[in-house]
Amino acid sequence: MTTPAEAPGSGAVHGAEIETLVRVAGRIRDSIEKVIEGKTDVVDSTLTVLLAEGHLLIEDVPGVGKTQLAKALARSIDCSVRRIQFTPDLLPSDVTGVSVFNQNSREFEFRPGGIFANIVVGDEINRASPKTQSALLECMEEHQVTVDNVTYQLDSPFMVIATQNPIEMEGTYALPEAQRDRFMARVSVGYPPVGSEIAMLASHSAANPLDDLEPVADAAEIRKLVGVVNQIYVADSVRRYTVALTAATRANNELALGASPRASLHLLRAAKAHAAMNGREFVLPDDVRRLTGPVLAHRLLPSASAAMHGRSVADILEAVTSAVPVPQA
């Protein structure tokens, strides 16, 4: 395993900056957990994606708090937030914006759509048509919107938090591969522990905790933390290990579609954020290995043979990653 011995000499980030990042991330975590109880791992994954400048896909059955998680993060940060309710009749222009003719000035003027915010909550994204879903492709990848041959830049930080129901649910459309690949990670909230659910009944029945949630950070602070994450040291052996993991998914016979080069980039960026949140100035192979599930699983497609034999993507990914040698110090 890679040890701190590989880190000296990088000089990229100072211990005080890491301490600030850990402290601010802790404040945001505590704020979210006032609404989402008993799901520390899910909250940490959400913060990891935020600090890695990625986008998050939350997939689960109705009623487990997907939208509450997204809104709790949005309210914990003092920045612009918009929610888009994805429905079958939603149009691409509702997402990106549209040019409207102004009768007074006799010119067309641009009216921004719901995507123009620091944090965009896309509720039940797979209830909209693939045509509308594709309106997010340029926004998520390039942080810009092009309407009528004019390009508009999106503010930083920019994060899409989309919720979706499992594709077996009635009235849903499967996300296209290109759309799924733009989400850095996918998490599942799951049912809460019994104790947390009982506490939820006591705290949520009289009032919604979201109403009392106050911002504990702002957009400028998040931009600084993102800059700290970008400077986290990564050894060459860890980069090779990251590529070895994604390349192994492409060579596996049980997978019809493996991880893309974008997945390799997302995996390493998420590992840097995970390392920083744990108070380290360098990435360990364990950081990369721990994030393979959330970052890679939603991008993979099982082969017909694997599906017939009941092999899930999670099982295949676990077998693939376990076979890749971990670099030693």
Side-chain angles (χ1 to χ4, degrees):
M1 179 180 296
T2 308
T3 67
E6 294 192 358
S10 62
V13 63
H14 300 290
E17 295 174 315
I18 294 293
E19 291 175 5
T20 300
L21 185 147
V22 172
R23 184 171 62 254
V24 174
R27 291 204 307 260
I28 299 175
R29 181 190 299 111
D30 292 342
S31 178
I32 296 174
E33 289 186 334
K34 292 178 182 178
V35 178
I36 305 295
E37 300 182 29
K39 293 295 178 181
T40 301
D41 289 346
V42 176
V43 174
D44 281 346
S45 296
T46 303
L47 291 177
T48 298
V49 173
L50 171 67
L51 297 180
E53 293 188 287
H55 307 289
L56 182 68
L57 181 62
I58 309 174
E59 181 182 270
D60 217 320
V61 296
V64 295
K66 300 188 299 294
T67 305
Q68 290 285 87
L69 172 61
K71 293 170 72 174
L73 173 63
R75 293 200 180 189
S76 298
I77 303 172
D78 187 14
C79 60
S80 58
V81 179
R82 287 194 178 183
R83 175 181 174 179
I84 305 174
Q85 184 65 53
F86 282 79
T87 56
D89 60 347
L90 189 73
L91 298 175
S93 58
D94 296 326
V95 176
T96 59
V98 64
S99 294
V100 178
F101 187 73
N102 188 318
Q103 293 284 358
N104 296 325
S105 64
R106 311 299 294 176
E107 294 179 348
F108 282 93
E109 61 181 32
F110 178 66
R111 293 188 180 177
I115 201 67
F116 283 83
N118 293 120
I119 295 181
V120 179
V121 180
D123 203 14
E124 297 195 79
I125 186 175
N126 61 336
R127 291 203 180 278
S129 66
K131 178 181 179 180
T132 301
Q133 292 173 13
S134 65
L136 291 170
L137 295 180
E138 181 186 13
C139 312
M140 294 174 66
E141 180 64 17
E142 301 173 55
H143 292 195
Q144 66 182 32
V145 174
T146 302
V147 177
D148 294 336
N149 295 323
V150 179
T151 298
Y152 305 89
Q153 296 296 323
L154 299 173
D155 291 336
S156 177
F158 173 66
M159 181 182 185
V160 174
I161 309 175
T163 70
Q164 73 167 357
N165 295 310
I167 58 174
E168 292 81 8
M169 292 284 177
E170 185 176 353
T172 60
Y173 302 84
L175 292 183
E177 289 80 2
Q179 181 74 68
R180 292 201 309 270
D181 197 47
R182 279 166 168 76
F183 284 101
M184 176 173 284
R186 181 187 64 183
V187 298
S188 176
V189 178
Y191 293 112
V194 174
S196 297
E197 190 166 1
I198 294 173
M200 182 269 292
L201 294 180
S203 61
H204 290 231
S205 57
N208 189 343
L210 274 172
D211 297 337
D212 299 324
L213 219 55
E214 296 291 336
V216 296
D218 57 29
E221 203 165 16
I222 297 300
R223 284 194 293 268
K224 290 180 181 178
L225 299 187
V226 169
V228 172
V229 168
N230 289 338
Q231 297 178 70
I232 293 296
Y233 177 78
V234 182
D236 288 340
S237 59
V238 176
R239 292 191 185 92
R240 289 193 294 269
Y241 179 59
T242 302
V243 174
L245 288 170
T246 54
T249 65
R250 303 166 198 161
N252 190 277
N253 293 329
E254 291 188 293
L255 292 173
L257 178 65
S260 65
R262 183 193 285 125
S264 301
L265 179 61
H266 282 181
L267 182 57
L268 190 59
R269 282 166 50 188
K272 291 169 70 173
H274 183 269
M277 287 176 57
N278 282 274
R280 278 183 279 106
E281 303 169 17
F282 51 88
V283 176
L284 294 174
D286 282 349
D287 296 317
V288 179
R289 177 69 175 83
R290 185 175 287 115
L291 291 164
T292 52
V295 176
L296 299 184
H298 64 288
R299 309 168 193 263
L300 310 178
L301 290 178
S303 65
S305 175
M308 287 178 59
H309 288 85
R311 292 275 287 167
S312 68
V313 168
D315 293 336
I316 299 171
L317 181 59
E318 178 62 31
V320 169
T321 53
S322 298
V324 178
V326 179
Q328 301 297 313

